Amino acid sequence: MTGWETIIGLEIHEQLNTESKIFCGCSTRFGDEPNKNTCPVCLGLPGALPVLNRHAVELGARAALALGLHINNESIFSRKNYFYPDLPKGYQISQYDRPFSANGELEIMTAERDEAGHPVEWKVKKIAITRLHLEEDAGKNVHEGLPDVDKYSYIDLNRAGTPLAEIVTEPDFRTSWEAYDYVNHVRRALQWVGASEADMEKGNLRCEANVSVRRVGDEKFGTKVELKNLNSVRFMQRAIEFEVTRQIGVLESGGQLQQETRLWDERAGETRVMRSKEEAHDYRYFPEPDLPPLIVADEFVERMRSGLPELPEARRRRFMDQYGLSFSDASQLTSERSLADYYEKAAEISGSPRNASNWIRSELLRELESAGLLAGSSPVAAEELGALVRLVDEQRISGKQGKDVLVEMFKSGKSAATIIAEQGLVQVSDSGEIDRIIDEVITANPQQLEHYRAGKETLFGFFVGQVMKASKGKANPKVVNERLKTKLELS
Ligand SMILES: [Zn+2]
């Protein structure tokens, strides 16, 4: 692959989180009976007139501001003409030459990954944003799960008219991991401010990648291939990797690339041709005559801006400064807003922000993940986790006991104090009692003692284990270590 440079540009469509559609009052609810949520406007019946949903504009503004983009005071809706069965009007209302936002710049943190998939070195990268515009979604052709699908296509227009924001970048990405980190950045920002659920699996965040390669030093871009059907950020990353290797392979063997659209097939792990350039559309854009220009006053933008929560990157930096967390810990804790809120509350109650971070990252997140929950709906409240961290820090219970207590808290919803009282858990730190257990263990293991004294120091761990076991996990490991060292040397 050396000698080649990869060029990637991305388009993201995200569904704005409104209750009704962008140009009519129909519900945007997912999973309803097909064609239930339709009306003359979103069915494209003659004479029906669109009316812009104010909330869609507000959420579009939140999305733009969360990404640090400027909002134009005036933008124009345009008709994008093409024929497709799921598009009843024969055109999509979108924005073209005067979009909601244009010429922005976004700063992301990105890192290449090693063989094991771990980030190597995080660095800042600036991505030029060509535009963010508002538009309506199309409906959906259904080819599965209905009678005679081999003979008929079915059309569900529930989705037609759902508000979308489309974000287009310049071809600024040079690796698949940069693209991966960018999409995750955008997704987190949109979820964070409530603009979109931004869930790729549900299809409310969709992504397309334009990929080409060129010889290092070439000025001219190579032939560009558009990748679709990227149903997760990871699929997108893999699709780009595959495509780069394929393109270089074609060019190095003297072949030529076609400008085409290719679909990612996750099962086969490859991209396949969907359509070639000959079928590409000329959309004949023109201004939508049924909608006036969208005027967005500065006061509106300022009101939206002042209503935003502290944004994820700012919060990550603050976590590092205020709580002394590492970049990767702070990044993980700000990967989602309810988790960041959870952490701050737990940190405050625990009195130890670093320990709270460790407990959340190593213990709580594992429980949440296996239960398929976000921190915001954790059965263990942040205050309760903070209280548990404090109990362990104060050595009222051992770390090992604490972990078991957390699992029990997660299952039963009881507080740490209740579980500790019910189970009679205490950590024994009294050196007299620990000495007694150590003496028993030493007496019971004369051979190991002999070997240890003869220089086999690895047996120290064996003795620690025996003492912990004899104390049923209640002995304070720090005291055990100290006392054992003394006892094993002396007795
Ligand atoms: Zn409608």
Side-chain angles (χ1 to χ4, degrees):
M1 302 269 222
T2 49
W4 292 94
E5 185 179 33
T6 303
I7 312 285
I8 306 158
L10 293 173
E11 290 173 22
I12 293 179
H13 287 86
E14 81 270 355
Q15 180 180 334
L16 297 170
N17 202 10
T18 56
E19 284 181 21
S20 56
K21 296 183 180 182
I22 186 168
F23 299 122
C24 63
C26 293
S27 169
T28 54
R29 206 167 33 238
F30 182 79
D32 273 358
E33 186 190 323
N35 299 308
K36 186 180 168 216
N37 304 323
T38 54
C39 73
V41 173
C42 55
L43 289 174
L45 300 187
L49 291 173
V51 177
L52 182 59
N53 178 346
R54 184 185 178 89
H55 193 42
V57 178
E58 290 169 350
L59 293 181
R62 284 178 87 86
L65 294 172
L67 297 171
L69 305 177
H70 170 77
I71 296 170
N72 290 329
N73 291 119
E74 184 175 323
S75 62
I76 305 276
F77 285 98
S78 292
R79 290 188 181 181
K80 180 180 182 181
N81 298 281
Y82 64 94
F83 176 77
Y84 203 71
D86 66 8
L87 189 71
K89 294 194 294 288
Y91 59 85
Q92 176 191 24
I93 303 179
S94 180
Q95 295 188 306
Y96 183 53
D97 48 356
R98 296 182 63 189
F100 193 62
S101 168
N103 306 322
E105 189 179 68
L106 181 58
E107 229 179 66
I108 62 163
M109 296 300 294
T110 183
E112 287 310 298
R113 308 304 201 268
D114 63 18
E115 292 287 312
H118 298 304
V120 177
E121 188 193 346
W122 290 97
K123 57 185 196 313
V124 175
K125 176 156 177 124
K126 287 184 176 158
I127 305 296
I129 306 292
T130 317
R131 53 198 279 125
L132 179 153
H133 68 249
L134 305 176
E135 62 182 26
E136 60 177 343
D137 205 349
K140 194 167 74 172
N141 285 1
V142 184
H143 303 288
E144 278 169 7
L146 287 162
D148 298 322
V149 281
D150 50 337
K151 281 190 238 153
Y152 304 110
S153 279
Y154 291 79
I155 297 171
D156 178 2
L157 294 174
N158 278 350
R159 207 178 67 184
T162 298
L164 301 177
E166 178 174 347
I167 306 168
V168 183
T169 75
E170 292 296 302
D172 282 354
F173 305 95
R174 292 295 171 269
T175 71
S176 62
W177 289 113
E178 288 178 359
Y180 178 89
D181 291 326
Y182 164 80
V183 176
N184 276 329
H185 179 108
V186 170
R187 191 169 65 154
R188 178 183 63 169
L190 300 180
Q191 286 171 341
W192 194 277
V193 300
S196 172
E197 282 183 54
D199 183 338
M200 285 182 92
E201 276 164 37
K202 277 198 204 156
N204 50 30
L205 189 144
R206 302 194 290 268
C207 188
E208 290 160 29
N210 291 306
V211 181
S212 65
V213 297
R214 66 180 173 193
R215 298 249 180 216
V216 171
D218 276 5
E219 294 270 314
K220 217 172 138 252
F221 288 132
T223 303
K224 160 174 99 171
V225 167
E226 189 181 352
L227 298 181
K228 288 191 179 217
N229 198 33
L230 310 170
N231 295 325
S232 79
V233 193
R234 192 73 173 99
F235 289 1
M236 176 197 74
Q237 187 271 328
R238 279 208 280 266
I240 294 172
E241 281 298 311
F242 174 88
E243 190 54 26
V244 169
T245 310
R246 186 189 73 83
Q247 291 185 13
I248 292 173
V250 169
L251 295 173
E252 285 194 336
S253 62
Q256 274 198 328
L257 291 165
Q258 304 299 318
Q259 186 169 339
E260 60 197 4
T261 300
R262 297 176 74 92
L263 296 179
W264 174 243
D265 181 339
E266 173 63 20
R267 223 175 303 169
E270 61 182 32
T271 61
R272 294 211 187 109
V273 181
M274 176 190 167
R275 61 170 177 248
S276 66
K277 197 199 171 192
E278 285 75 49
E279 295 163 62
H281 299 285
D282 169 12
Y283 293 115
R284 296 177 293 117
Y285 281 99
F286 63 86
E288 165 62 63
D290 292 337
L291 285 167
L294 171 56
I295 308 293
V296 177
D298 290 338
E299 301 83 73
F300 173 87
V301 174
E302 282 322 305
R303 198 165 69 245
M304 289 294 120
R305 197 192 304 278
S306 62
L308 289 179
E310 184 183 17
L311 292 173
E313 283 304 298
R315 206 161 182 193
R316 175 180 60 71
R317 282 194 292 272
R318 184 167 63 75
F319 279 12
M320 293 171 72
D321 295 343
Q322 188 175 340
Y323 303 124
L325 301 183
S326 69
F327 171 81
S328 73
D329 292 359
S331 298
Q332 191 178 12
L333 292 170
T334 52
S335 60
E336 187 255 315
R337 191 171 150 199
S338 77
L339 178 60
D341 293 343
Y342 190 101
Y343 166 68
E344 285 219 90
K345 217 175 280 170
E348 188 193 331
I349 302 286
S350 73
S352 170
R354 277 210 212 188
N355 288 346
S357 158
N358 291 338
W359 275 86
I360 289 173
R361 288 176 35 259
S362 60
E363 305 301 321
L364 181 79
L365 283 178
R366 186 181 53 225
E367 296 294 322
L368 287 172
E369 206 165 290
S370 64
L373 294 173
L374 290 177
S377 41
S378 169
V380 177
E383 290 83 353
E384 290 298 333
L385 186 94
L388 173 67
V389 173
R390 187 177 275 273
L391 286 166
V392 175
D393 280 355
E394 289 170 353
Q395 306 198 358
R396 303 268 290 282
I397 55 170
S398 69
K400 169 76 182 70
Q401 287 172 327
K403 288 175 188 178
D404 296 340
V405 168
L406 179 61
V407 172
E408 185 58 30
M409 288 164 79
F410 204 88
K411 254 192 281 179
S412 65
K414 291 176 184 166
S415 73
T418 307
I419 293 166
I420 289 167
E422 279 177 3
Q423 302 190 355
L425 297 177
V426 274
Q427 173 162 262
V428 178
S429 301
D430 172 40
S431 56
E433 188 162 354
I434 288 175
D435 278 356
R436 193 182 53 72
I437 302 173
I438 291 176
D439 290 341
E440 279 174 22
V441 167
I442 288 177
T443 316
N445 298 285
Q447 265 196 330
Q448 280 83 353
L449 181 67
E450 202 178 306
H451 292 319
Y452 178 82
R453 289 204 173 140
K456 203 174 172 201
E457 287 182 14
T458 48
L459 278 169
F460 189 75
F462 163 79
F463 282 105
V464 173
Q466 290 299 308
V467 173
M468 292 308 291
K469 200 170 143 196
S471 77
K472 300 195 173 66
K474 289 183 185 176
N476 180 336
K478 215 173 121 206
V479 180
V480 170
N481 268 283
E482 285 165 13
R483 297 303 304 156
L484 251 181
K485 252 180 215 142
T486 321
K487 290 248 169 202
L488 288 172
E489 304 301 327
L490 289 181
S491 57

